[in-house]
Amino acid sequence: METTVLAAPPRLGPLYRAAALRRPRGGTLPERELRLDEVRVDLAHLAEYDRACGFRLRDELPATYPHVLAFPLALALMTAADFPFPVLGVVHVANAIEVLRPLTSSDAFSLSVRAEDLRPHERGTQFDMVATASIAGEPVWHGRSTYLRRDGSRSDRKDTAEPPKPPQPTAVWRVPRRTGTDYAAASGDRNPIHTSRILARAFGFRSTIAHGMWTKARCLAALEGRLPERYTVSVQFKRPILLPATVAFSARDGQIAVHDRGTGAPHLTGTIVEPRCADADEGAR
C-alpha cells in the first residue's frame, strides 16, 4: 500500500465542497494511506471537545479524541477522485476503538488513515476506515469506522421481530438541540443532518440528529475514572437520536447501551473489553 505523508492536516472547507460536487469513479477502494507526523494537541480545541461531550478537562485524551484528529485524513481519502462512493451517501454504522496505552495532551504522535475491506452487505456495501496513532513507530491507538453504502436495488426489509427489552438505565440524559452544532464545531464533522433542521428534513429526519460519535463519546465520559488503561470499546449505531431528546444510558458487565427514554428504541449498543478478555479479533469489526 502506498503511503502519502502530509505536511499539514487537510483543510476541511475544500473537502466539504469536494464532497458536495464530486461524482465517484471506480469500484475498488484506493490502495493508499495518508499519514500525518508530529501531531500535537491544541489545548483549546481539546477543551472545546471535552465540553461538547461531557468529559472532564484533564491531561489524558478521551479515547474518542484521536478519531476527531484523524477525521480530516479520512475525509480526504473519501472525497478523492478514486474513492468509489460519494461521502453524502454513506452511513456510519459501527465504530471500534482500541486503546493500547493512554495518550496525553503533551504527546506527539503520528496518525495514519486507510480504507479497507470492501464487502457486500444485505442492504448494500460496507467498508472500513482504519486510523492508527503511533509513537516512535509503535501503535498506541486504533480506530475502525464501518460505513454502509445503501444499494437501492436491494431489499431493505424492516425487521418485524419484537425488539428486545431495553436494559435498566444507569442514568437519564437530556440531549439539547444544540448538541449537533456543538459537536460539529468541536469535531469538524459538519454533515448538515446534524446542524440544519431544513436539510435534516430533506434527508428524511423530522429534526437534526446527534452524531453517532458524540453518543459514543458521551458514554465514555459517563464512565470516566472507571475505565482500564487498555481496552477495546466497540459500538453499533442503531436509530438516530432526534434532537432534542431524553435518552437512557446503561453500563453493566462490559455492556453499554443508549435507548430512547420513552419508547425504549435503541440508539447505541456496545461492549468494553479488557485485553485479557478479548478475542484476538476483538475490535477489528
Side-chain angles (χ1 to χ4, degrees):
M1 178 174 285
E2 171 194 348
T3 297
T4 301
V5 181
L6 305 179
R11 294 170 54 218
L12 289 174
L15 293 179
Y16 277 118
R17 287 192 290 274
L21 299 173
R22 190 185 69 83
R23 295 296 177 264
R25 287 180 289 176
T28 60
L29 295 174
E31 289 287 326
R32 183 172 64 260
E33 178 181 78
L34 299 183
R35 195 180 82 214
L36 189 62
D37 294 331
E38 288 297 309
V39 176
R40 294 186 179 273
V41 172
D42 181 310
L43 295 180
H45 181 257
L46 174 61
E48 181 183 19
Y49 177 85
D50 286 345
R51 285 191 294 268
C53 301
F55 291 104
R56 297 193 302 269
L57 301 178
R58 58 179 188 152
D59 187 46
E60 185 176 316
L61 302 185
T64 46
Y65 188 66
H67 172 89
V68 168
L69 300 180
F71 176 71
L73 282 74
L75 192 59
L77 278 175
M78 294 171 72
T79 55
D82 58 351
F83 202 81
F85 309 113
V87 175
L88 296 181
V90 299
V91 181
H92 194 182
V93 295
N95 177 269
I97 288 173
E98 183 181 12
V99 178
L100 300 174
R101 82 148 173 85
L103 281 166
T104 71
S105 60
S106 58
D107 284 327
F109 49 91
S110 296
L111 270 177
S112 61
V113 176
R114 67 185 186 275
E116 67 178 36
D117 199 11
L118 188 67
R119 58 198 184 274
H121 184 273
E122 62 180 2
R123 291 184 292 164
T125 306
Q126 284 189 338
F127 64 91
D128 295 336
M129 298 298 296
V130 180
T132 301
S134 304
I135 295 178
E138 192 71 26
V140 295
W141 178 95
H142 288 295
R144 181 179 291 267
S145 293
T146 299
Y147 291 92
L148 170 67
R149 167 63 172 172
R150 289 193 176 98
D151 184 342
S153 67
R154 302 188 187 186
S155 173
D156 196 9
R157 294 174 298 176
K158 293 183 179 179
D159 186 1
T160 57
E162 185 72 20
K165 184 178 179 181
Q168 190 67 22
T170 305
V172 174
W173 303 333
R174 296 190 184 280
V175 188
R177 192 180 301 278
R178 70 173 188 274
T179 298
T181 52
D182 286 353
Y183 185 82
S187 68
D189 184 349
R190 296 183 180 276
N191 187 322
I193 61 175
H194 305 296
T195 59
S196 167
R197 279 181 281 182
I198 294 173
L199 292 175
R201 290 193 187 105
F203 281 90
F205 302 105
R206 69 172 184 265
S207 68
T208 54
I209 65 174
H211 295 71
M213 287 303 294
W214 174 86
T215 309
K216 180 172 183 174
R218 183 66 184 87
C219 292
L220 296 183
L223 298 172
E224 214 169 9
R226 290 180 281 165
L227 294 168
E229 269 203 349
R230 298 179 59 196
Y231 62 95
T232 296
V233 52
S234 304
V235 302
Q236 296 77 46
F237 302 120
K238 303 295 187 178
R239 299 185 185 183
I241 297 176
L242 300 173
L243 300 173
T246 301
V247 301
F249 166 68
S250 64
R252 286 182 179 83
D253 302 322
Q255 305 288 319
I256 58 174
V258 177
H259 62 270
D260 185 274
R261 185 70 178 99
T263 67
H267 298 301
L268 174 150
T269 60
T271 59
I272 298 175
V273 181
E274 293 186 65
R276 66 175 181 272
C277 306
D279 181 86
D281 293 326
E282 182 67 34
R285 293 287 183 271

